[in-house]
Amino acid sequence: VVADHLVRYKKDREVLGADVADLLVRVSNLEKGSVEKKLLDRNSKQQAAEEEQDDNEEDDTKLPPSLPNTFPSIAYDDTAPAPRQEIEAHSKKGLLGGTRFTTSFVSHLVREYVRDHGINDRRRKKKKYPTDAEFLVLSQQMLKAIPVYPFTNKYFVYRCVDFKKQSEVFWFKEQMESGKLFQDRGFTSACAFTPDQQWERADLSSDFCSMNAYIAIRSKSGRLIRPFVKRDAAKREWEVLFCYNTTFKILSFEDTKPGEEHRARDWGRYRIVMEEVSSLVPGLKMAPADEE
């Protein structure tokens, strides 16, 4: 048994790399004192130090202060989701060939994320939890194993957010006017369908439609995680997930009720369009502006 574990561990290191192989050992719940556990513990201090250093370096990620006008502006009302038939066909695809991750293991990781979004709050507030570093490495590998959401340039995915303060939502307007990029330290979540579709269709979740900001995102590396969720409520969300530290650019901002008092749950008062610029996981190439 020990010999078999060692062979599998060595193969994982060759295919997935040392970090992922070590983390797979950690999440496999093997008995204390096993050969893998000893191999992991031998490098645990060094790995933890490297992870902490990497996390500190994230805070200093150097983004261009501005970009030339290569991303054409587009109004929220001019955006559209991919056709439902094409989205449903894409949802039937399994994991990419060549991955060492199994469907059950990917489903486990997705379930952990769906069950507790606390990692997003911690990362955005620059707080840490002991298991976060491990989950970040595994989630990045997980997203690489899922087929990329293929509808880019022409179609969008949609995110609803309820901002408590008007200054929070007007920050997006400032980013648009300055041309600056911004990076989401957490996992950005969106839906393959518009808020109107989510509200009108009984087979879609409408939990987020009453929020005061609707954001249309031109996706490049998002992954549809619906095939890997078990609960019906989660399936109805048709969630498209972006890796942590994904970078975006704001293309347009609209306040549909200028001058009125800012309120929570104001049903899409603010309309924002943004485009994905870069990601830690592979994605589709964006077409130049003149090919739009």
Side-chain angles (χ1 to χ4, degrees):
V1 173
V2 171
D4 289 342
H5 284 325
L6 276 173
V7 170
R8 184 164 63 251
Y9 177 77
K10 290 177 180 178
K11 287 183 178 179
D12 285 343
R13 287 179 66 92
E14 293 173 358
V15 176
L16 299 174
D19 290 341
V20 178
D22 288 345
L23 293 176
L24 286 174
V25 171
R26 193 187 293 273
V27 299
S28 64
N29 295 322
L30 294 170
E31 292 182 0
K32 186 177 181 181
S34 67
V35 174
E36 288 94 332
K37 181 68 164 53
K38 291 178 180 178
L39 288 169
L40 177 60
D41 289 343
R42 190 171 61 189
N43 296 319
S44 59
K45 292 183 179 180
Q46 178 180 355
Q47 181 178 345
E50 291 173 353
E51 288 167 353
E52 183 174 359
Q53 180 180 357
D54 291 342
D55 194 56
N56 291 335
E57 289 174 353
E58 288 173 2
D59 299 343
D60 300 324
T61 302
K62 295 185 181 302
L63 297 177
S66 63
L67 283 181
N69 190 23
T70 55
F71 301 90
S73 178
I74 179 173
Y76 178 91
D77 290 343
D78 293 331
T79 68
R84 184 181 182 91
Q85 185 176 3
E86 295 185 28
I87 296 174
E88 290 178 343
H90 176 71
S91 71
K92 296 176 182 178
K93 294 183 178 181
L95 297 177
L96 295 173
T99 178
R100 294 295 299 274
F101 280 15
T102 64
T103 299
S104 61
F105 187 62
V106 169
S107 296
H108 169 74
L109 290 173
V110 170
R111 183 170 62 250
E112 290 299 311
Y113 168 77
V114 172
R115 185 172 60 182
D116 179 17
H117 288 181
I119 190 171
N120 279 339
D121 292 334
R122 291 191 295 273
R123 284 194 57 77
R124 288 165 182 158
K125 295 176 181 178
K126 299 185 178 181
K127 297 181 179 180
K128 295 180 181 180
Y129 191 74
T131 60
D132 283 354
E134 298 172 4
F135 182 79
L136 293 175
V137 174
L138 286 174
S139 65
Q140 193 177 141
Q141 296 296 325
M142 172 196 75
L143 290 172
K144 290 179 180 179
I146 300 175
V148 66
Y149 192 70
F151 312 109
T152 188
N153 295 324
K154 187 177 181 181
Y155 300 117
F156 291 75
V157 296
Y158 296 84
R159 174 173 172 80
C160 302
V161 183
D162 206 47
F163 291 98
K164 296 180 179 179
K165 300 178 180 179
Q166 193 171 52
S167 59
E168 294 174 344
V169 68
F170 267 72
W171 177 87
F172 288 86
K173 182 180 180 181
E174 295 171 0
Q175 296 296 110
M176 178 196 69
E177 293 172 344
S178 67
K180 292 182 179 178
L181 305 180
F182 80 94
Q183 187 180 77
D184 189 349
R185 286 178 52 84
F187 293 85
T188 303
S189 174
C191 177
F193 298 99
T194 68
D196 288 343
Q197 289 174 314
Q198 296 170 43
W199 177 251
E200 293 167 358
R201 299 186 63 98
D203 58 339
L204 298 177
S205 173
S206 59
D207 294 347
F208 308 103
C209 296
S210 63
M211 296 188 175
N212 58 22
Y214 291 171
I215 304 175
I217 304 173
R218 184 175 283 160
S219 168
K220 182 172 67 174
S221 71
R223 263 65 170 180
L224 184 69
I225 63 173
R226 186 179 189 272
F228 308 100
V229 297
K230 302 299 182 182
R231 294 186 300 109
D232 288 340
K235 285 183 176 294
R236 289 198 299 271
E237 292 183 8
W238 288 86
E239 182 172 355
V240 177
L241 187 64
F242 298 84
C243 190
Y244 67 94
N245 279 5
T246 297
T247 304
F248 300 94
K249 182 179 176 68
I250 307 301
L251 303 184
S252 66
F253 177 95
E254 178 186 9
D255 179 359
T256 62
K257 300 177 181 179
E260 292 190 14
E261 181 183 358
H262 174 83
R263 296 186 299 273
R265 301 284 176 178
D266 201 0
W267 288 78
R269 167 180 174 171
Y270 306 101
R271 307 295 177 96
I272 300 168
V273 181
M274 62 189 195
E275 179 151 26
E276 183 186 358
V277 177
S278 65
S279 173
L280 294 175
V281 298
L284 304 174
K285 293 183 178 180
M286 305 304 295
D290 57 5
E291 294 183 13
E292 289 284 309

